[in-house]
C-alpha cells in the first residue's frame, strides 16, 4: 500500500516505544537463536481456488461458489482449518477493522450505516459433498474455524466447497467497496489462513496491517453485465474479451474529452458476460470493474529472460489528463525493478484508477488500484511503488502483518531509487509547493525532493519516539507505521545499497528473490541471502538497524595532516561515508567500517578543501551539523548561519536564525515593535530558543519574552526526554515600572511502554522568581519573590475518550498548596467532538492571609490576579469591568466564569466540577458550546447567602482555545449577589499560542506524503 498523505501537524502526534522483552524476542529471532523454529524444515501449504462469481450491480452484491483444494505439505496432521471471511470486517462496529478505524478517526456511525457496512454470508462449507461443522471466532466474525470430518494427514489433499454471498460496502472506509457502479473487489472470498512452521496465522482484516496468504493456482470466472470493463489478477482466457480490450486500447478519442465528460455511469447492459482468469502460484486475487474505463495496452521485454510482459492501464475521464502517459510509468517500473530484483514474475500487469478508501494505491498480484493522483509525478511514484510490490509482496509472500518492513520498507527503497533514476534533478518544492517564488522565499528552491522523507523521520527521531523497524504492524502508532516502515526502512535499504554498491546489492536481492520466489521468507532469510551473497557479516544492519532504535551519529573531531579523527556519538556502529569536497564537487569517497568510540581515518591526497561525512544523505544520520571540517580557517568546523524570515523546512546541514517581525500592545507599554527570533520549529533540536524582544514607545526599558531549552534524549532509558529550560518575561506595570518573571524548569518525560494509544507521563519542577504582584498593583516598588512548583502529569492522548491527570504542589512566600486536576473527554462522533469534564480539588497546606490571592481562586483569574504572570494579557492590570480587556481571564482552579474572587475572597480549599460540550451532530460546526460549573469551597461569604455551594451555566462562543467569550446565563443566587447582572458576568479567554503550541501547530502549508 502507498501510505496516505499526511501533514506536518501529525508531528505533534506524540507516541512512544516498546518494552524490553519485545526487544529480546526480536534479537532472538534475528540472530537465529530460535533453534526450534529454524531447525524445522521449510514447508508451505498449497491452496488452489476455483471461484464462480456473479456481480449484481443493482444490489451491489456478489453471489459466488468456490472450491478450495488444500494440500497439506506440513509434517503435521490437521484437524481444522482457519478461513478468513474478510468482508465481515465491515459487518458491524465491533470488528477489529472498525475498532482500528475508530482509534484513528474517532467515533462515528461507521458500519451502523447500512451503506458503509458489508458482510459475507450464505456459507455452507462441505468436504467431499458432506456438510462440516464450522464456527465464527468469538469477537472476530471475519475468521471461522472449519472442523475437518477426517484428519488431514501430511501430503493429503482436501477439497472444500461453499457458496457465498457478499454485500459490497460503499468504498470509502477501506479496500473492498464500490463507489456507485465502480467496483473494487478485494479480500472478498473465503480463504484459508496460512499454516507454517510456527502454526496458524489467522488474522482479522485491518486497514493498517496487511496480509499473509498461501500460494496456489487460481481459476476465477466473473459474470457481470457485458458493458463492464474489468481489470483482474491473472490472465484473461476469453478471446472475444481480449479483442474487445485491444479495440478499446486502439481508440484514443478519450484524449480530447474533458475531465467531467462521461462521469455518469452508463446503464448496465441487459446481457451478461463471463470472464475467466487463471494464474498459477499466486496468493490473492482481486478484480475491479467500471463501465467508464479507457484502456491502454503495452508491453515490456524483461532484461534477464527476454520474456515479454503485457501491460495494461485503465482509467476514467476524471483523471485522463494525468493518466495519459501512465503506460510508460508501468513499463519503466517493470523494467527497472526487474533489473534490480530479478525478472517480473507474471505475464501481465494492470494499473487502474479507482476510488480507494485506504492509502494512495494498493497492490495485488498482477494488478494495482490507484486512488486520485495529484499530478503525473505523483502518479508515476504511486504506480512504481505498487509495481515494486510485485516482488516484495506478490512473489515474496512474507508475513506483512508481522513484518511490514519486509514488503513496505523494501518497496519504498525501490520506489525512491526508481524516482531518483527517473527524476534525478527533482526539487522538493516542485512536488510539495508548486510555486518557485514561495520556494525561493523559504530558501528551499535547491532542496532535493528526498529531503522530505528525511525531515519527516527526523522530527520523530529527534524526539526519541522511534520504534524498531521489525515490529508487527499493530505495534506501531499511525505516525510510526509511516515513518519507521516507509521512510526509515526505505532510507535504510538505500544506505545498505550505497555501502555495498549497486551491483553487489542487486545480486544479493536477486539471490533472495530466486531463493524465495513464491514462498514465505522470514527476516532471517533476507539477512542470510545478503550475508551469504556478500560473504560479509551484516549484523549492524539486520540486527541493529532493523531490530533496535540504535541511532546513527558520527562526529568529525579533528583533522591532522592526512588523518581525520571521527567519533561515534550514536549507538549504531555502522559504515560511514567520508567525502572530500571542493565546492559542491566530490573529490573522493571513502567507506569506513563502523566502529565504537573514536577512530583516526587515513585520507587520500587531493585538492579538496572540506571533508564531510555523507554529503548526499545516504546515511540516516541524526545530526549533520557535526559532519564536516574545512582544511583551513580559524573555525574549520563552523557552519554557516542562514537568516530566514518566519520559518522554513530546515536543511539539517545548516544552522538557522529565523526572525518574525512582531507588533504588540499592552496598556502600560503602549505600542511595541519587536522581532521574534528562533532556530526553527519543524525539526526538533537539542537546543531550541525563542526570544521576542520589543522596543516600547510608552515605557522605558526593554520588554519581551525569551525561552531557551536544552533537550536530552537518552537511548532506551526510562526517561525519553529531559528538558532543561530557562525563560524570562518583562513588561510594563502600573507605577511606571516593569514586572519580571524568571523561570528555570526541568521536565522529565517518561517513555511509554506502547505507542498505540499511549499512556504518557512526566514529572516537572520549576523555580520561579517573579515581581511581587501585591506591590505591583499597589504601585509600590516591587521586590522579587520565589516560588517552587512540582508536578506529575499523566495523559492518555488518544482520539476516543482522552484523559489527563495533573497533581501538583506549589510553595511561595509563606504558603504551600497542593491540587489535583482531572480532565476527561467523553467523545461523540467525529475527531474532536465530545463532552469535556474537569474535576479540580485543591487545598492550602500553609496559608498567607496577608496576600490573599495565593490561595485558590473560585473564578478564572484576571491578569491582576496572576501572581506568576502567566498568559498574554494586553491589559493585565485593569480592574474589572472597566474595559473590554479587563474581562480577560484564564480558566483554572475553581473554573467559575462569573467574577467572584475580589468580593468573595480566595479559598483555603475548593472542589469544582466543570462541563463543556460540543453541540451534537452537525450543530457541532456552530462555534457555540454550552458549559456548566459547580463549585464547593470553604467559605460562602456572599451578602445574601452563606451557601458554600456555587453553580453557573451558559454558552461560550468563539475560536476554541484562542479567543472565546463566556456568557454565564444561569447562576446560583450567591453568584448573582456577588457578580451582579449578566452583563457584569460576561468574560473572555484570549490565549496566544505559547512557544510549544506555535511549534506544534506550525502548518507549513505543504502536504507531507
Ligand atoms: Zn506499499
Amino acid at each position: 500500500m502507498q501510505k496516505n498523505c499526511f501533514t506536518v501537524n501529525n508531528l505533534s502526534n506524540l507516541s512512544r516505544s516498546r518494552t524490553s522483552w519485545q526487544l529480546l524476542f526480536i534479537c532472538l529471532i534475528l540472530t537465529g537463536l530460535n533453534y526450534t523454529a529454524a531447525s524445522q524444515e521449510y514447508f508451505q501449504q498449497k491452496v488452489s481456488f476455483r471461484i464462480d462469481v456473479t456481480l449484481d450491480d443493482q444490489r451491489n452484491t456478489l453471489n459466488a461458489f468456490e472450491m478450495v483444494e488444500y494440500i497439506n505439505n506440513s509434517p503435521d496432521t490437521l484437524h481444522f482449518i482457519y478461513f478468513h471471511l474478510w468482508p465481515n470486517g465491515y459487518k458491524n462496529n465491533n470488528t477489529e477493522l472498525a475498532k482500528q478505524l475508530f482509534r484513528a478517526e474517532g467515533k462515528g456511525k461507521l458500519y451502523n450505516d447500512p451503506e458503509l457496512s458489508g458482510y459475507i454470508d450464505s456459507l455452507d462449507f462441505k468436504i467431499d459433498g458432506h456438510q462440516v461443522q464450522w464456527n465464527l471466532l468469538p469477537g472476530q466474525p471475519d475468521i471461522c474455524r472449519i472442523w475437518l470430518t477426517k484428519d488431514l494427514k501430511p501430503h493429503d489433499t482436501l477439497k472444500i466447497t461453499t457458496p457465498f454471498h457478499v454485500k459490497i460496502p460503499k468504498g470509502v472506509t477501506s479496500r473492498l467497496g464500490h463507489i456507485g457502479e465502480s467496483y473494487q473487489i478485494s479480500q472478498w472470498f473465503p480463504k484459508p489462513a496460512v499454516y507454517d512452521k510456527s502454526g496458524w496465522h489467522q488474522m482479522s482484516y485491518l486497514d493498517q496491517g496487511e496480509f499473509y496468504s498461501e500460494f496456489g493456482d487460481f481459476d476465477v470466472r466473473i459474470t457481470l453485465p457485458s458493458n463492464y470493463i474489468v481489470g483482474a489478477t491473472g490472465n484473461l482466457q476469453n478471446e472475444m474479451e481480449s479483442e474487445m480490450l485491444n479495440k478499446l486500447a486502439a481508440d484514443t478519442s478519450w484524449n480530447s474529452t474533458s475531465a467531467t465528460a462521461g462521469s455518469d455511469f452508463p446503464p448496465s447492459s441487459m446481457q451478461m458476460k463471463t470472464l475467466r482468469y487463471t494464474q498459477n502460484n499466486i496468493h490473492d486475487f482481486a478484480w475491479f470493474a467500471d463501465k467508464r474505463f479507457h484502456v491502454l495496452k503495452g508491453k515490456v521485454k524483461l532484461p534477464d529472460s527476454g520474456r515479454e510482459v503485457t501491460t495494461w492501464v485503465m482509467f476514467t475521464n476524471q483523471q485522463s489528463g494525468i493518466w495519459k502517459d501512465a503506460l510508460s510509468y508501468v513499463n519503466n517500473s517493470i523494467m527497472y525493478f526487474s533489473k534490480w530484483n530479478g525478472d517480473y514474475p507474471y505475464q501481465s500487469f494492470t494499473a487502474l484508477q479507482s476510488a480507494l478508501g485506504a492509502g494512495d494505491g494498493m497492490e495485488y498480484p498482477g494488478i494495482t488500484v490507484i486512488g486520485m493522483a495529484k499530478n503525473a509525478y505523483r502518479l508515476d511514484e504511486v504506480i512504481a511503488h505498487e509495481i515494486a510490490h510485485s516482488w516484495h509482496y506478490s512473489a515474496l509472500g512474507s508475513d506483512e502483518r508481522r513484518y511490514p518492513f519486509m514488503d513496505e520498507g523494501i518497496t519504498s527503497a525501490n520506489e525512491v531509487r526508481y524516482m531518483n533514476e527517473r527524476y534525478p534533478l527533482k526539487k522538493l518544492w516542485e512536488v510539495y509547493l508548486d510555486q518557485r517564488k514561495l520556494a525561493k522565499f523559504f530558501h528551499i528552491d535547491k532542496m532535493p525532493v528526498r529531503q522530505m522523507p528525511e525531515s519527516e523521520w527526523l522530527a520523530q527521531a529527534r524526539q526519541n519516539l522511534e520504534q524498531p523497524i521489525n515490529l508487527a504492524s499493530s505495534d506501531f502508532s499511525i505516525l510510526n507505521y509511516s515513518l519507521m516502515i516507509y521512510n526509515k526502512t526505505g532510507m535504510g535499504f538505500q544506505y545498505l545499497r550505497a555501502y555495498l554498491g549497486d551491483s553487489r546489492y542487486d545480486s544479493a536481492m536477486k539471490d533472495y528473490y530466486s531463493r524465495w520466489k513464491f514462498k514465505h521468507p522470514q527476516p532471517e532469510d533476507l539477512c542470510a541471502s545478503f550475508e551469504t551473497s556478500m560473504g560479509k557479516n551484516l549484523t549492524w544492519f539486520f540486527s541493529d538497524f532493523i531490530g533496535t532504535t540504535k541511532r546513527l551519529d558520527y562526529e568529525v573531531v579533528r583533522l591532522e595532516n592526512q588523518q581525520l579523527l571521527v567519533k561515534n556519538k550514536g549507538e549504531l556502529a555502522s559504515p560511514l561515508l567520508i567525502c572530500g569536497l571542493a565546492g559542491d564537487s566530490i573529490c573522493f569517497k571513502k567507506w569506513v567500517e563502523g566502529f565504537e568510540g573514536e577512530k583516526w581515518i587515513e585520507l587520500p591526497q587531493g585538492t579538496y578543501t572540506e571533508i564531510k561525512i555523507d554529503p548526499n544523505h545516504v546515511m540516516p544520520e541524526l545530526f549533520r551539523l557535526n559532519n564536516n571540517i574545512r582544511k583551513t580557517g580559524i573555525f574549520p568546523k563552523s557552519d554557516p548561519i542562514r537568516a530566514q524570515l518566519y520559518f522554513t523546512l530546515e536543511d539539517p546541514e545548516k544552522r538557522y536564525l529565523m526572525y518574525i517581525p512582531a507588533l504588540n500592545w499592552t496598556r502600560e507599554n503602549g505600542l511595541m515593535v519587536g522581532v521574534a527570533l528562533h532556530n526553527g520549529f519543524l525539526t526538533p533540536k537539542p537546543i531550541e530558543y525563542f526570544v521576542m524582544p520589543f522596543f516600547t514607545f510608552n515605557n522605558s526599558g526593554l520588554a519581551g519574552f525569551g525561552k531557551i531549552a536544552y533537550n536530552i534524549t537518552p537511548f532506551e532509558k526510562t526517561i525519553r526526554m529531559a528538558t532543561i529550560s530557562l525563560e524570562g518575561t518583562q513588561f510594563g506595570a502600573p507605577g511606571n515600572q516593569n514586572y519580571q518573571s524568571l523561570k528555570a524548569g526541568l521536565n522529565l518525560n517518561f517513555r511509554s511502554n506502547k505507542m498505540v494509544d499511549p499512556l504518557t507521563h512526566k514529572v516537572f519542577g520549576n523555580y520561579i522568581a517573579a515581581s511581587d504582584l501585591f506591590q505591583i498593583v499597589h504601585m509600590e516598588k516591587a521586590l522579587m519573590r520565589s516560588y517552587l512548583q512540582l508536578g506529575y502529569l499523566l495523559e492518555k492522548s488518544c482520539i476516543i475518550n482522552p484523559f489527563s491527570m495533573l497533581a501538583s504542589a506549589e510553595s511561595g512566600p509563606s504558603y504551600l498548596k497542593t491540587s489535583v486536576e482531572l480532565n476527561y473527554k467523553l467523545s461523540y462522533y467525529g475527531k474532536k467532538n465530545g463532552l469535556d469534564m474537569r474535576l479540580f480539588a485543591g487545598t492550602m497546606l500553609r496559608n498567607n492571609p496577608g496576600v490573599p490571592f495565593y490561595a485558590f481562586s473560585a473564578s478564572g483569574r484576571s491578569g491582576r490576579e496572576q501572581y506568576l504572570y502567566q498568559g498574554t494579557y494586553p491589559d493585565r492590570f485593569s480592574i474589572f469591568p472597566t474595559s473590554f480587556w479587563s474581562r480577560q481571564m484564564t480558566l483554572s482552579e475553581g473554573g467559575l466564569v462569573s467574577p467572584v474572587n475580589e468580593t468573595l475572597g480566595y479559598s483555603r480549599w475548593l472542589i469544582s466540577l466543570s462541563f463543556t460540550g460540543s453541540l451534537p451532530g452537525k450543530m457541532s460546526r456552530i462555534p457555540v458550546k454550552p458549559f456548566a460549573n459547580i463549585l464547593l469551597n470553604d467559605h460562602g461569604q456572599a451578602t445574601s447567602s452563606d451557601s458554600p455551594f456555587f453553580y453557573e451555566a451558559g454558552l461560550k462562543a468563539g475560536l476554541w482555545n484562542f479567543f472565546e467569550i463566556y456568557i454565564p446565563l444561569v447562576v446560583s443566587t450567591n453568584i448573582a449577589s456577588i457578580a451582579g447582572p449578566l452583563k457584569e458576568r460576561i468574560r473572555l479567554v484570549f490565549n496566544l499560542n505559547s512557544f510549544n503550541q506555535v511549534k506544534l501547530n506550525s502548518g507549513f502549508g505543504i502536504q507531507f506524503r
Side-chain angles (χ1 to χ4, degrees):
M1 179 163 87
Q2 167 93 354
K3 65 185 182 169
N4 266 323
C5 292
F6 65 92
T7 65
V8 156
N9 290 348
N10 289 35
L11 300 180
S12 65
N13 187 352
L14 303 180
S15 11
R16 281 116 263 271
S17 197
R18 93 246 118 246
T19 51
S20 48
W21 66 264
Q22 273 173 310
L23 198 72
L24 181 71
F25 178 68
I26 289 147
C27 294
L28 286 178
I29 294 219
L30 270 176
T31 49
L33 288 174
N34 202 338
Y35 287 117
T36 46
S39 62
Q40 205 173 19
E41 228 165 81
Y42 179 85
F43 69 84
Q44 78 185 39
Q45 310 293 64
K46 182 166 183 185
V47 183
S48 297
F49 293 85
R50 152 90 202 242
I51 308 174
D52 287 89
V53 57
T54 304
L55 169 72
D56 181 339
D57 68 348
Q58 299 294 302
R59 295 187 179 84
N60 297 314
T61 58
L62 302 174
N63 288 297
F65 188 86
E66 88 172 2
M67 197 271 287
V68 181
E69 187 190 67
Y70 192 103
I71 304 176
N72 181 16
N73 290 324
S74 82
D76 311 320
T77 297
L78 301 181
H79 310 290
F80 61 82
I81 294 175
Y82 283 112
F83 263 72
H84 291 155
L85 306 172
W86 279 353
N88 273 350
Y90 304 81
K91 192 174 183 174
N92 57 47
N93 287 346
N94 299 320
T95 64
E96 298 289 315
L97 171 63
K99 287 179 202 163
Q100 190 183 58
L101 293 175
F102 281 150
R103 270 204 302 278
E105 285 153 30
K107 277 190 202 169
K109 212 174 169 192
L110 198 59
Y111 301 133
N112 284 341
D113 180 345
E115 256 203 316
L116 299 190
S117 76
Y119 54 81
I120 182 167
D121 64 7
S122 308
L123 294 155
D124 183 17
F125 289 103
K126 285 183 179 162
I127 296 175
D128 302 329
H130 300 292
Q131 255 181 347
V132 291
Q133 268 201 336
W134 63 278
N135 61 284
L136 298 178
L137 299 196
Q140 288 176 296
D142 54 351
I143 308 171
C144 75
R145 186 176 2 201
I146 297 176
W147 296 92
L148 306 181
T149 41
K150 193 171 96 205
D151 289 351
L152 184 62
K153 299 217 163 59
H155 310 297
D156 274 6
T157 300
L158 188 73
K159 281 197 170 81
I160 305 170
T161 61
T162 183
F164 65 94
H165 169 87
V166 173
K167 193 251 170 189
I168 306 164
K170 188 177 174 185
V172 291
T173 62
S174 196
R175 299 178 182 94
L176 167 66
H178 72 94
I179 300 285
E181 288 164 9
S182 172
Y183 293 90
Q184 305 158 49
I185 310 301
S186 59
Q187 294 94 25
W188 56 284
F189 55 94
K191 190 177 176 187
V194 170
Y195 184 79
D196 67 13
K197 64 186 179 186
S198 49
W200 283 105
H201 293 267
Q202 76 279 12
M203 51 179 86
S204 278
Y205 175 80
L206 291 177
D207 201 68
Q208 175 183 313
E210 295 186 330
F211 313 117
Y212 189 30
S213 310
E214 302 283 17
F215 284 91
D217 305 333
F218 280 70
D219 182 347
V220 180
R221 289 166 173 84
I222 302 166
T223 303
L224 75 180
S226 62
N227 56 337
Y228 272 92
I229 296 147
V230 176
T233 296
N235 302 306
L236 178 65
Q237 301 298 314
N238 309 60
E239 234 165 78
M240 262 173 60
E241 186 72 6
S242 300
E243 271 170 34
M244 191 276 290
L245 288 175
N246 287 340
K247 256 191 215 149
L248 259 183
D251 171 17
T252 53
S253 57
W254 53 266
N255 227 329
S256 52
T257 53
S258 78
T260 46
S263 55
D264 293 341
F265 294 98
S268 291
S269 166
M270 296 303 284
Q271 237 179 355
M272 303 293 272
K273 65 180 173 187
T274 297
L275 309 177
R276 181 177 173 218
Y277 297 86
T278 61
Q279 176 72 57
N280 293 344
N281 255 330
I282 48 170
H283 55 67
D284 204 2
F285 187 100
W287 56 282
F288 305 85
D290 197 312
K291 288 172 283 192
R292 308 162 304 170
F293 275 148
H294 302 301
V295 175
L296 293 174
K297 185 185 182 184
K299 61 183 180 212
V300 205
K301 202 168 164 194
L302 299 179
D304 282 357
S305 61
R307 183 163 56 85
E308 242 173 39
V309 172
T310 308
T311 51
W312 297 93
V313 156
M314 299 178 177
F315 53 92
T316 66
N317 280 338
Q318 214 179 349
Q319 292 251 289
S320 58
I322 292 172
W323 276 72
K324 62 181 177 3
D325 298 322
L327 200 57
S328 71
Y329 310 155
V330 172
N331 293 349
N332 279 318
S333 298
I334 291 179
M335 193 65 199
Y336 277 109
F337 298 139
S338 295
K339 228 163 78 185
W340 300 332
N341 298 272
D343 273 358
Y344 174 77
Y346 314 114
Q347 292 101 303
S348 68
F349 187 87
T350 306
L352 53 83
Q353 170 233 323
S354 188
L356 184 68
D360 291 346
M362 186 62 212
E363 68 277 11
Y364 298 98
I367 190 163
T368 179
V369 54
I370 311 287
M372 290 295 153
K374 256 176 79 183
N375 50 46
Y377 175 88
R378 280 288 293 152
L379 182 64
D380 195 356
E381 183 179 64
V382 181
I383 286 180
H385 178 99
E386 305 311 339
I387 290 180
H389 276 304
S390 301
W391 286 262
H392 304 280
Y393 152 75
S394 293
L396 296 157
S398 60
D399 182 349
E400 303 172 283
R401 188 69 63 90
R402 176 61 193 86
Y403 295 112
F405 85 89
M406 291 186 73
D407 65 303
E408 294 300 354
I410 301 174
T411 290
S412 293
N414 269 308
E415 169 209 310
V416 172
R417 184 177 178 188
Y418 167 86
M419 293 307 277
N420 283 345
E421 290 278 339
R422 295 259 296 156
Y423 308 89
L425 301 175
K426 200 75 176 175
K427 298 287 176 266
L428 181 140
W429 68 269
E430 296 175 272
V431 182
Y432 297 98
L433 267 183
D434 225 24
Q435 288 187 48
R436 187 191 288 270
K437 269 190 184 163
L438 218 52
K440 280 207 148 138
F441 174 80
F442 285 114
H443 287 103
I444 56 168
D445 50 315
K446 293 195 177 71
M447 207 176 255
V449 69
R450 63 166 157 74
Q451 187 58 56
M452 195 52 106
E454 185 184 339
S455 293
E456 290 174 347
W457 161 73
L458 271 182
Q460 192 78 342
R462 294 251 186 108
Q463 295 178 79
N464 213 356
L465 287 168
E466 290 193 276
Q467 288 176 277
I469 283 166
N470 68 350
L471 295 187
S473 56
S474 59
D475 294 331
F476 289 106
S477 65
I478 297 170
L479 188 60
N480 268 356
Y481 186 65
S482 174
L483 296 180
M484 298 298 116
I485 295 301
Y486 290 78
N487 298 40
K488 192 185 180 188
T489 313
M491 287 158 63
F493 277 92
Q494 298 271 76
Y495 176 29
L496 183 64
R497 177 167 65 85
Y499 164 66
L500 296 175
D502 284 2
S503 70
R504 299 207 307 156
Y505 176 90
D506 291 346
S507 79
M509 205 48 106
K510 282 181 174 172
D511 176 75
Y512 170 57
Y513 177 55
S514 68
R515 264 172 217 262
W516 290 97
K517 193 174 174 182
F518 309 135
K519 288 184 185 163
H520 299 309
Q522 298 289 325
E524 58 267 27
D525 302 320
L526 175 65
C527 175
S529 275
F530 268 84
E531 290 197 335
T532 316
S533 160
M534 295 298 110
K536 220 173 180 156
N537 181 316
L538 295 171
T539 308
W540 66 268
F541 186 79
F542 288 99
S543 295
D544 295 350
F545 183 79
I546 298 285
T548 72
T549 55
K550 285 185 180 175
R551 298 167 296 190
L552 180 56
D553 179 23
Y554 284 107
E555 180 189 39
V556 169
V557 182
R558 245 197 334 274
L559 179 66
E560 276 175 26
N561 306 321
Q562 286 302 115
Q563 301 268 323
L564 183 73
L565 183 64
V566 177
K567 182 179 175 184
N568 186 350
K569 292 184 77 179
E571 297 83 28
L572 197 65
S574 59
L576 69 153
L577 178 64
I578 293 172
C579 295
L581 302 173
D584 283 340
S585 58
I586 295 179
C587 304
F588 76 84
K589 281 186 175 185
K590 178 177 176 150
W591 278 98
V592 177
E593 293 297 324
F595 58 88
E596 283 170 7
E598 291 189 339
K599 187 174 181 172
W600 283 102
I601 293 154
E602 180 82 36
L603 300 180
Q605 298 282 352
T607 53
Y608 51 91
T609 54
E610 187 180 4
I611 295 129
K612 198 183 246 183
I613 297 173
D614 189 32
N616 288 331
H617 298 220
V618 297
M619 299 163 57
E621 271 265 300
L622 198 57
F623 297 102
R624 293 184 179 275
L625 288 174
N626 57 11
N627 278 19
N628 59 316
I629 190 162
R630 279 178 295 278
K631 280 169 102 175
T632 54
I634 311 164
F635 300 107
K637 291 204 287 180
S638 67
D639 306 283
I641 293 182
R642 168 160 288 170
Q644 170 69 43
L645 184 59
Y646 301 125
F647 59 91
T648 189
L649 183 66
E650 296 145 50
D651 176 346
E653 290 189 19
K654 293 192 170 74
R655 285 181 200 278
Y656 289 87
L657 173 64
M658 314 219 199
Y659 58 99
I660 306 170
L663 274 182
N664 196 359
W665 181 88
T666 67
R667 168 84 53 200
E668 289 74 23
N669 291 112
L671 186 69
M672 288 174 271
V673 182
V675 63
L677 302 170
H678 65 95
N679 66 340
F681 295 143
L682 296 179
T683 309
K685 283 168 266 304
I687 293 176
E688 296 175 323
Y689 64 84
F690 185 93
V691 292
M692 196 157 51
F694 288 105
F695 174 79
T696 76
F697 290 95
N698 267 11
N699 185 308
S700 59
L702 189 72
F705 165 84
K707 175 170 180 170
I708 183 159
Y710 179 51
N711 302 309
I712 303 157
T713 49
F715 176 65
E716 291 191 340
K717 294 285 185 313
T718 321
I719 291 170
R720 175 181 63 81
M721 187 188 277
T723 302
I724 301 160
S725 62
L726 195 67
E727 62 185 270
T729 309
Q730 171 167 302
F731 283 100
N736 203 21
Q737 59 178 331
N738 285 315
Y739 73 84
Q740 286 138 354
S741 93
L742 247 161
K743 177 166 134 185
L746 173 67
N747 266 288
L748 301 177
N749 292 281
F750 296 101
R751 196 173 280 285
S752 303
N753 55 16
K754 64 184 182 85
M755 291 287 260
V756 181
D757 290 347
L759 202 60
T760 61
H761 53 155
K762 72 169 186 183
V763 294
F764 60 90
N766 297 314
Y767 168 78
I768 300 160
S771 305
D772 186 318
L773 181 63
F774 196 79
Q775 290 167 333
I776 290 267
V777 297
H778 290 92
M779 298 199 206
E780 296 163 11
K781 184 162 170 35
L783 301 170
M784 293 299 274
R785 303 286 179 210
S786 296
Y787 306 85
L788 203 60
Q789 294 176 327
L790 289 173
Y792 169 78
L793 177 69
L794 176 78
E795 212 167 357
K796 188 160 192 194
S797 45
C798 46
I799 290 177
I800 297 178
N801 304 344
F803 71 84
S804 69
M805 193 273 287
L806 172 69
S808 56
E810 183 184 293
S811 80
S814 66
Y815 78 89
L816 176 62
K817 64 182 176 185
T818 179
S819 64
V820 177
E821 181 179 337
L822 292 168
N823 279 288
Y824 177 78
K825 177 183 233 129
L826 184 67
S827 297
Y828 310 155
Y829 284 3
K831 248 181 181 170
K832 288 179 184 154
N833 301 333
L835 175 67
D836 288 296
M837 290 175 259
R838 175 178 176 273
L839 175 75
F840 180 87
T843 182
M844 299 302 294
L845 300 174
R846 205 148 38 95
N847 201 3
N848 181 354
V851 188
F853 53 61
Y854 287 146
F856 291 101
S857 68
S859 314
R861 285 181 190 255
S862 66
R864 59 188 282 123
E865 297 172 83
Q866 299 273 20
Y867 56 90
L868 295 175
Y869 306 95
Q870 298 105 320
T872 308
Y873 285 79
D875 199 359
R876 179 176 285 274
F877 303 100
S878 58
I879 296 166
F880 183 87
T882 53
S883 69
F884 174 79
W885 284 112
S886 71
R887 294 177 180 268
Q888 195 191 343
M889 61 166 177
T890 300
L891 273 180
S892 58
E893 301 169 70
L896 290 180
V897 172
S898 309
V900 299
N901 295 347
E902 301 248 340
T903 314
L904 181 69
Y906 294 79
S907 312
R908 284 194 301 278
W909 62 263
L910 64 75
I911 180 160
S912 74
L913 194 56
S914 307
F915 300 91
T916 176
S918 34
L919 295 170
K922 282 190 179 144
M923 289 201 301
S924 65
R925 288 182 206 156
I926 305 169
V928 172
K929 289 181 183 180
F931 71 85
N933 300 314
I934 311 164
L935 180 136
L936 185 71
N937 66 3
D938 64 317
H939 58 132
Q941 298 125 346
T943 45
S944 65
S945 158
D946 286 323
S947 169
F949 179 73
F950 300 77
Y951 67 82
E952 62 177 6
L955 295 172
K956 64 172 184 170
L959 290 170
W960 310 132
N961 299 325
F962 174 64
F963 185 85
E964 296 173 324
I965 294 178
Y966 281 77
I967 308 163
L969 296 166
V970 183
V971 296
S972 54
T973 49
N974 46 2
I975 289 181
S977 68
I978 299 168
L982 177 62
K983 70 175 178 21
E984 307 277 282
R985 301 197 297 259
I986 296 171
R987 296 181 81 193
L988 58 97
V989 164
F990 174 60
N991 180 19
L992 264 190
N993 284 346
S994 72
F995 176 37
N996 272 328
Q997 279 165 321
V998 172
K999 187 174 155 175
L1000 294 178
N1001 297 331
S1002 54
F1004 199 45
I1006 50 176
Q1007 285 273 296
F1008 274 30
R1009 68 193 171 87

